[in-house]
Amino acid sequence: MTRNAELVLAIAAICCAGTAMAKSSDRQQTMRVQANKSDCTVTESGPCVLTGNVHIVQGTLVIDAARADIRQGDGDIQSAKLSGSPVRLKQQMDNGGTMNATAAQVDYDLQQDTVVFIGGAVVQQPGRGSIAGERIVYNMRTGQVQGGGGTDGGRVTLQFEPRNRAPAAETDKEEQD
């Protein structure tokens, strides 16, 4: 049974790696942020805490959260910790698809090019598949996605959509023949 689980995880990692590349040009776009309140230090290395209806747009990336704690270093954003009930993200992928994600907390580490979704995390790519678990780690550099069920013995759930799925009407007609 353990060997089968390892095989499934290996296949999942390979399948998700090719499908999860976020729109690379988004990181070169201006980031626009709106919130009910802000507490930001205007130095190049100061923190910026945003609260209440936080809305962030950078290129095709759209994020909605209750709170964002953004840290800068040398004039660039180094990390962002987002929380909400839940945090919602939407972004176009380089392959033309769209990624939708929700989680109680999302931690971006731009120096390591990783995003960690924590708490009821779900990442979906319509037409491609999804992954859900208590903790999902996405490496933006490699496209690798790792999921886990958390410390309470939960499970990670993966769903893979077939590439050439026939429309439902044709499938139903074939089954009747």
Side-chain angles (χ1 to χ4, degrees):
M1 187 66 167
T2 302
R3 195 147 181 91
N4 287 341
E6 289 173 351
L7 178 62
V8 168
L9 289 175
I11 292 168
I14 291 166
C15 291
C16 289
T19 64
M21 298 303 284
K23 189 95 170 166
S24 54
S25 61
D26 284 350
R27 295 199 52 196
Q28 306 305 317
Q29 303 295 318
T30 299
M31 181 184 291
R32 302 198 190 292
V33 180
Q34 295 177 326
N36 291 349
K37 292 183 181 178
S38 70
D39 183 6
C40 299
T41 304
V42 293
T43 64
E44 288 188 10
S45 60
C48 186
V49 178
L50 306 156
T51 55
N53 298 310
V54 178
H55 183 72
I56 301 169
V57 177
Q58 185 177 27
T60 67
L61 174 66
V62 178
I63 302 171
D64 289 304
R67 176 184 168 92
D69 184 344
I70 300 170
R71 301 296 166 142
Q72 299 180 72
D74 298 324
D76 288 327
I77 295 174
Q78 302 292 314
S79 68
K81 293 186 183 294
L82 307 159
S83 58
S85 48
V87 177
R88 297 183 188 282
L89 294 94
K90 182 176 185 176
Q91 185 172 28
Q92 288 181 3
M93 311 313 299
D94 277 339
N95 67 9
T98 301
M99 180 272 303
N100 296 294
T102 58
Q105 180 177 322
V106 177
D107 295 341
Y108 278 90
D109 183 337
L110 282 93
Q111 291 180 310
Q112 298 298 315
D113 279 337
T114 58
V115 183
V116 181
F117 301 88
I118 304 165
V122 178
V123 179
Q124 301 173 315
Q125 284 189 280
R128 301 295 299 241
S130 64
I131 182 170
E134 282 304 302
R135 186 170 194 273
I136 299 170
V137 179
Y138 168 50
N139 184 313
M140 294 182 287
R141 195 176 304 138
T142 65
Q144 181 179 13
V145 179
Q146 298 173 315
T151 58
D152 64 353
R155 297 171 57 94
V156 62
T157 302
L158 300 154
Q159 178 177 316
F160 301 98
E161 300 293 332
R163 281 189 181 211
N164 298 320
R165 174 182 275 180
E170 289 180 27
T171 304
D172 292 341
K173 184 179 176 185
E174 289 174 8
E175 289 176 2
Q176 290 174 359
D177 291 341

